[in-house]
Amino acid sequence: NMILVRNGDADMVVNLAQRTDVARLERNPAVQHTFPRYESPAQKRAIEWNLIKIAAPDVWNAGFTGQDVVVGGQDTGYDWDHPAIKNQYLGWNGASVDHNYHWHDAIHSSAGPCPGNSLEPCDDHGHGTHTMGTAVGSDGGANQIGVAPGARWIGCRNMDQGNGTPATYSECFQWFIAPTDMNDLNPDPNRAPDVLINSWGCPTSEGCSFNSLKTVVDNVRAAGIVVVVSAGNSGSSCSTINDPPAIYASSFTVASTTNTDGISSFSSRGPVTVDGSNRLKPDIAAPGSSIRSSVAGGSYTTFSGTSMAGPHVSGLVALLLSAEPNLKGNVDAIEERIRMAALPLTSNQVCSGFSGMDHPNIVFGYGRIQAPETVFGDPCAGISSFADWMQGLGGNDTNGNGRVDIQEFLLLDSCLQN
């Protein structure tokens, strides 16, 4: 319920501000996205380390790869015919391509390599192609880079060479609720994606209000779409999760971890203070340091950032929904499954009275995602007391490391609280 006004003057601003049916007036500034760090290309592996870390192959081996699930992404655009994501593009049937209902360009004028109102998916940076590759990418051979290679994707460009505005972000969100044909006609909510990748932020430091996108994100979630959002790369200080849409309760906010399950130094921390809520964020964590994935032009490279962590969670949603399609549209249940199955992680950091030793906490949220536990099993099943938990261990630790450690006690605590 927003109106974008172009070429307004001071008199118009005054007149609009005096209307009782106008809640507020906001600017529509161009927001320069802070991109992840580029790293030297890593040696390719058949299956990337980050997928092994969350045990995604264990779910694939059971026959669940994200099939019949649609992942949406809004970013710098997408190189749709990149070998790692072409077969997953919903507009490609293996022989011909149809971009109707599968692509939207919210950038209507551009002097960059991708024209305004591009008639096919185009990526003027590489960031978008990288994030989509982590969610669904696989070339069917030596480049298995995506969590859910059996899922399909649709996309929207919300940034022009890294610059977005509240209006372009909102336009993409609106399109995902009811995708349209290439003439922006005949919107169809039945074609909406099941989950969104949002590896971007709209900082208040550049003129975005913390409320600018709240109603938009609330409505997308209400439409049954999981809104996965990267936490931001402003760590390691407290309360650095401070940009929309990561700050919102309706967003599933993702922190970044390393290959040893430590927190990435750049990963933003909670709680959210910019809106006065003191909201506990992030919600969850996933690998985000040194992630190899696809980039525009048909190649691959390694980036580090919470932008890389978020797509892991979007891919995990696809794995879960391919195994349990009855959960589609039930955002609360999907997020709860992921939270309860996460590996609890802790930190010595304390922020605004929130301890990193708590579970959940302001560094890792509920912990690092685990694919098999999310898709197949409730880690709390049969545990209603400490005695139940001890009996379940049967004298053995659940992590297989010869000892019962703090992560397992935190999982017990989480089960008993829920």
Side-chain angles (χ1 to χ4, degrees):
N1 190 21
M2 300 187 297
I3 298 173
L4 175 62
V5 179
R6 295 185 176 91
N7 303 319
D9 57 18
D11 289 339
M12 179 181 288
V13 171
V14 172
N15 290 334
L16 288 175
Q18 291 174 341
R19 293 181 63 102
T20 59
D21 54 354
V22 173
R24 63 182 185 273
L25 302 179
E26 294 190 356
R27 297 169 53 211
N28 187 47
V31 180
Q32 175 63 50
H33 181 67
T34 302
F35 289 108
R37 295 196 309 270
Y38 171 80
E39 301 176 4
S40 58
Q43 182 178 2
K44 68 182 179 183
R45 309 171 185 85
I47 302 176
E48 293 297 324
W49 74 265
N50 40 301
L51 307 184
I52 296 171
K53 188 70 175 180
I54 67 171
D58 291 351
V59 180
W60 306 342
N61 292 337
F64 304 110
T65 61
Q67 62 269 34
D68 301 319
V69 179
V70 178
V71 176
Q74 60 169 316
D75 210 287
T76 61
Y78 303 93
D79 180 9
W80 78 268
D81 59 355
H82 189 292
I85 62 173
K86 180 176 182 176
N87 289 327
Q88 291 84 341
Y89 178 48
L90 193 56
W92 173 249
N93 65 10
S96 61
V97 66
D98 182 357
H99 300 301
N100 288 288
Y101 298 99
H102 307 134
W103 164 251
H104 180 75
D105 195 355
I107 304 303
H108 304 300
S109 176
S110 175
C114 295
N117 296 317
S118 177
L119 297 178
E120 66 176 13
C122 181
D123 187 348
D124 61 19
H125 179 274
H127 184 265
T129 303
H130 196 282
T131 61
M132 190 59 71
T134 299
V136 305
S138 173
D139 65 356
N143 292 288
Q144 297 186 48
I145 56 175
V147 176
R152 308 299 294 273
W153 67 270
I154 62 176
C156 182
R157 181 165 66 133
N158 65 9
M159 285 178 274
D160 177 16
Q161 303 167 83
N163 290 286
T165 72
T168 59
Y169 302 137
S170 298
E171 183 173 328
C172 283
F173 273 128
Q174 176 170 291
W175 183 81
F176 282 122
I177 288 180
T180 65
D181 60 27
M182 292 304 294
N183 295 315
D184 293 333
L185 299 174
N186 303 306
D188 186 354
N190 292 318
R191 296 175 182 263
D194 300 296
V195 58
L196 292 180
I197 305 170
N198 297 279
S199 292
W200 52 274
C202 188
T204 55
S205 62
E206 298 191 24
C208 283
S209 163
F210 59 81
N211 273 326
S212 294
L213 301 174
K214 182 179 183 303
T215 300
V216 177
V217 176
D218 288 349
N219 289 344
V220 173
R221 181 190 175 95
I225 302 170
V226 183
V227 184
V228 176
V229 181
S230 296
N233 303 323
S234 300
S236 59
S237 297
C238 298
S239 295
T240 43
I241 299 178
N242 50 24
D243 295 336
I247 63 174
Y248 300 138
S250 293
S251 298
F252 203 42
T253 306
V254 187
S256 171
T257 55
T258 68
N259 61 359
T260 59
D261 279 335
I263 192 66
S264 302
S265 60
F266 52 77
S267 188
S268 293
R269 274 54 159 187
V272 175
T273 57
V274 67
D275 61 357
S277 67
N278 217 34
R279 182 176 298 114
L280 181 61
K281 288 281 183 176
D283 296 288
I284 205 74
S289 289
S290 299
I291 304 301
R292 181 178 177 273
S293 187
S294 48
V295 288
S299 59
Y300 301 83
T301 197
T302 301
F303 285 155
S304 290
T306 58
S307 287
M308 288 56 258
H312 286 80
V313 177
S314 299
L316 178 56
V317 171
L319 293 182
L320 174 59
L321 295 181
S322 67
E324 295 194 39
N326 60 299
L327 289 177
K328 288 186 177 184
N330 191 341
V331 179
D332 288 342
I334 293 167
E335 293 180 350
E336 185 70 2
R337 283 284 288 271
I338 295 172
R339 283 193 294 260
M340 291 300 99
L343 175 68
L345 297 172
T346 59
S347 164
N348 291 325
Q349 191 166 6
V350 178
C351 295
S352 302
F354 291 92
S355 171
M357 299 303 293
D358 291 338
H359 182 250
N361 59 62
I362 38 76
V363 177
F364 298 97
Y366 278 81
R368 195 256 299 150
I369 60 171
Q370 302 187 99
E373 289 80 355
T374 298
V375 175
F376 301 129
D378 178 3
C380 297
I383 298 177
S384 59
S385 68
F386 182 79
D388 291 338
W389 181 72
M390 289 298 295
Q391 184 176 3
L393 286 180
N396 298 307
D397 65 295
T398 59
N399 287 337
N401 58 10
R403 69 181 190 278
V404 177
D405 59 26
I406 192 168
Q407 280 77 26
E408 293 168 308
F409 278 109
L410 286 169
L411 178 58
L412 168 66
D413 179 67
S414 174
C415 292
L416 297 183
Q417 288 188 33
N418 288 279

